Amino acid sequence: MPESNPTTVQLVEAVCAFLENDVMPSSQDRLAFDTRVAVNALKIVARELRLGASLDESEQQRLSGLLGQNGSLDALNDLLTAQINTGVLDSDTPDLMNHLYQTTMGKLQIDNPRYSTYKRLHDKGKNGDQGSLS
Amino acid sequence: MSPSTVELAKKLATLLSRHKGQRCEITQLVALSGGANNQTWRFSVPSSTGGGDNYILRLSSVQTDQGMTKEVEADIQRAAGAAHIPVAPVTWVLTPQDSIGSGYIMSLVEGETIPRKILRDEQYAQMRNQMAFSCGQHAARIHAIDPLKLAGLELMDVDTQISQYEEVYRGSGMRLPVIELALRWIHNNRPTPVPPQIVHGDYRNGNFIVGPEGIRAILDWELAHLGDPMEDLAWLCVNSWRYGNWDKPVGGFGQREDLFSGYETISGTPIDPCRVHFWEVMGTLKWGIMCMMMSASDEQSGPLAVERAVIGRRTSETELDLLELLTGDR
């Protein structure tokens, strides 16, 4: 796809600002509530557009290392869930837990970086791609 | 008022007039919440001498095969009241001649239910210190209700719940490694079954009406069932119901020790924290799967309502909490 201006992120952020600054102050009750939820939804979209690709890439790299093979992200995750399901990998496997923490922290970074557990672990430095878990 | 609301007001007036033996007028009838099947309404019946009474109507307009009937819900709420558990008094159960649907009417209990206000407002500061202990006491009283006195409660023991939620997850087609890991843990760590007791089923911050002096009413009995009572204590501790106060595991307002000691003062038997921990993992997993399902939709049914759509993204919150619960770093 050729590069467009404004970018997708900018378009989403423009709609987000419109809802927050123009629609929300003049609405009430159910409409005000749903507008706030809509703003949250668009903020998730904007964060995913910014971060999604690089988070996916590091997830795929970790999975390749953990499972000792290459493949698409979907295929590797299929294999991972199968290995967890059959008990080949479990919570005593440090590399597995390290991977799951980093992947889940990445999801929260998009879905809800204000979530208490995310903030607490983030402050403890338990999220980085350097990913040292102690 | 919409025509259907006017119609409902008329029917309620007839019902109230019959029960009170005098002509009653219905005012301020508003829907508090509700979808197609389950509705909650609030209304007032002014008195000729001034003032009046405020009521809540719980109504299910369509009776489905799933879930408890409103008649059973009224029964359990009455049984709870009789057992000195704070609940809104059930005043009348609807009958077919009322032609309103299946449901019941209870007195309105004034107070606060919004968790963030309960956790933040100064006027509840004193009460918050006692709340975990009280929640323990009330839970023990719920669990002590004789199950034989109530008909129509489903048995939802640990194995039933595991298979039910696992089936929902497998049917969703989603592949979530953390959910797989949690399911595996649940299977390997499930506690020995206990004789089924009455479980509230949605015992959490959000289902309590409070005042500055304490809990005034416990709400939402529609998920009550027979099962392992520790499910209630654990559900109250699930991180999603702490509203950010992660260091106050009981509903964001208290400590487990206080919850447990409140419970033990009434039940007389010591609590096994491992069993509660199991149910906290189970509760977190259940909430994650529920979030997933609430936002599930098939292509034909068109776009989701925005609130339903966003709730699906809350599954990742429970995944992170599950990792914390499973690694014991709590």
Side-chain angles (χ1 to χ4, degrees):
Chain A
M1 204 164 58
E3 200 175 304
S4 305
N5 207 15
T7 63
T8 325
V9 173
Q10 285 172 318
L11 283 176
V12 171
E13 285 175 345
V15 179
C16 212
F18 161 70
L19 290 175
E20 252 183 321
N21 303 331
D22 302 317
V23 179
M24 224 143 75
S26 58
S27 54
Q28 31 180 303
D29 302 329
R30 189 72 214 178
L31 184 62
F33 176 80
D34 279 343
T35 309
R36 190 173 323 121
V37 178
V39 167
N40 282 338
L42 289 177
K43 287 186 172 171
I44 294 174
V45 174
R47 288 192 295 265
E48 187 158 325
L49 287 167
R50 282 180 200 283
L51 305 166
S54 92
L55 286 169
D56 281 355
E57 199 186 316
S58 11
E59 184 182 351
Q60 193 173 358
Q61 276 176 9
R62 282 195 309 271
L63 278 169
S64 290
L66 181 65
L67 300 166
Q69 54 180 280
N70 294 318
S72 71
L73 187 55
D74 275 352
L76 291 171
N77 265 321
D78 276 343
L79 186 61
L80 181 72
T81 44
Q83 294 204 357
I84 293 171
N85 191 254
T86 51
V88 177
L89 296 172
D90 60 24
S91 53
D92 293 332
T93 319
D95 285 352
L96 172 68
M97 296 314 280
N98 188 14
H99 166 74
L100 293 179
Y101 263 105
Q102 288 187 45
T103 307
T104 310
M105 287 297 280
K107 285 171 97 168
L108 262 297
Q109 208 180 340
I110 290 171
D111 292 345
N112 185 7
R114 293 165 63 192
Y115 190 61
S116 60
T117 313
Y118 174 84
K119 285 199 293 192
R120 179 165 56 83
L121 294 177
H122 185 268
D123 293 347
K124 273 165 74 179
K126 217 170 174 177
N127 68 317
D129 275 335
Q130 309 84 346
S132 66
L133 277 170
S134 52
Chain B
M1 283 203 286
S2 76
S4 61
T5 310
V6 173
E7 185 64 29
L8 178 60
K10 263 193 212 164
K11 288 175 176 171
L12 286 171
T14 311
L15 183 155
L16 269 283
S17 305
R18 194 178 77 239
H19 284 296
K20 291 197 178 214
Q22 63 188 63
R23 220 185 91 78
C24 294
E25 191 196 345
I26 305 293
T27 61
Q28 299 172 54
L29 176 63
V30 278
L32 295 181
S33 70
N37 297 340
N38 258 307
Q39 301 161 17
T40 305
W41 297 78
R42 179 199 160 128
F43 63 92
S44 302
V45 179
S47 140
S48 50
T49 55
D53 299 317
N54 299 315
Y55 295 101
I56 295 287
L57 166 69
R58 292 270 283 169
L59 187 61
S60 99
S61 33
V62 185
Q63 191 57 59
T64 59
D65 292 341
Q66 290 189 324
M68 96 174 25
T69 66
K70 285 282 166 275
E71 289 78 10
V72 174
E73 192 181 324
D75 278 351
I76 174 128
Q77 202 164 314
R78 279 180 164 156
H84 306 292
I85 296 151
V87 285
V90 174
T91 44
W92 304 288
V93 177
L94 303 185
T95 61
Q97 75 170 108
D98 301 316
S99 63
I100 296 173
S102 165
Y104 63 96
I105 295 167
M106 55 185 155
S107 300
L108 174 85
V109 176
E110 297 284 352
E112 188 56 70
T113 57
I114 299 170
R116 288 184 192 280
K117 290 191 181 167
I118 294 172
L119 296 182
R120 185 192 57 207
D121 287 5
E122 188 51 38
Q123 59 172 319
Y124 306 120
Q126 281 282 320
M127 186 278 303
R128 278 196 294 270
N129 294 330
Q130 311 297 323
M131 200 166 165
F133 191 85
S134 303
C135 284
Q137 291 183 307
H138 295 320
R141 291 188 182 108
I142 294 171
H143 303 155
I145 297 173
D146 182 359
L148 296 175
K149 283 190 182 152
L150 287 160
L153 290 183
E154 240 180 302
L155 176 67
M156 295 278 284
D157 60 7
V158 62
D159 289 335
T160 320
Q161 295 199 28
I162 295 174
S163 28
Q164 187 185 328
Y165 281 89
E166 181 157 17
E167 196 183 314
V168 169
Y169 166 70
R170 300 271 171 233
S172 76
M174 300 267 289
R175 283 169 286 95
L176 298 173
V178 177
I179 301 290
E180 296 286 341
L181 191 72
L183 277 169
R184 179 113 186 139
W185 187 93
I186 292 272
H187 277 289
N188 292 339
N189 291 277
R190 65 172 181 274
T192 49
V194 288
Q197 285 171 264
I198 289 178
V199 177
H200 177 280
D202 199 5
Y203 200 68
R204 64 176 171 88
N205 193 357
N207 280 335
F208 304 125
I209 300 179
V210 309
E213 77 290 352
I215 297 175
R216 291 177 180 170
I218 296 168
L219 299 172
D220 275 352
W221 293 80
E222 68 188 57
L223 295 174
H225 56 265
L226 298 172
D228 186 335
M230 291 305 106
E231 182 189 342
D232 276 339
L233 299 190
W235 186 241
L236 181 58
C237 296
V238 166
N239 191 48
S240 304
W241 320 131
R242 297 182 204 168
Y243 301 92
N245 293 357
W246 60 270
D247 53 348
K248 294 192 173 127
V250 183
F253 49 77
Q255 299 301 326
R256 288 189 184 86
E257 295 71 31
D258 294 329
L259 175 72
F260 293 176
S261 63
Y263 193 91
E264 288 163 351
T265 57
I266 302 294
S267 75
T269 44
I271 281 178
D272 171 9
C274 288
R275 187 177 283 270
V276 183
H277 175 68
F278 169 86
W279 280 104
E280 191 175 331
V281 177
M282 185 69 201
T284 309
L285 177 69
K286 277 162 69 174
W287 176 235
I289 294 175
M290 281 185 229
C291 289
M292 206 186 282
M293 292 327 292
M294 277 191 265
S295 61
S297 95
D298 53 73
E299 303 274 320
Q300 285 86 32
S301 54
L304 290 161
V306 65
E307 189 186 6
R308 292 271 297 252
V310 170
I311 206 165
R313 290 294 185 114
R314 295 195 61 187
T315 302
S316 51
E317 298 173 5
T318 65
E319 288 178 272
L320 195 56
D321 286 328
L322 283 169
L323 286 174
E324 287 288 283
L325 285 164
L326 298 189
T327 51
D329 185 12
R330 277 171 294 143

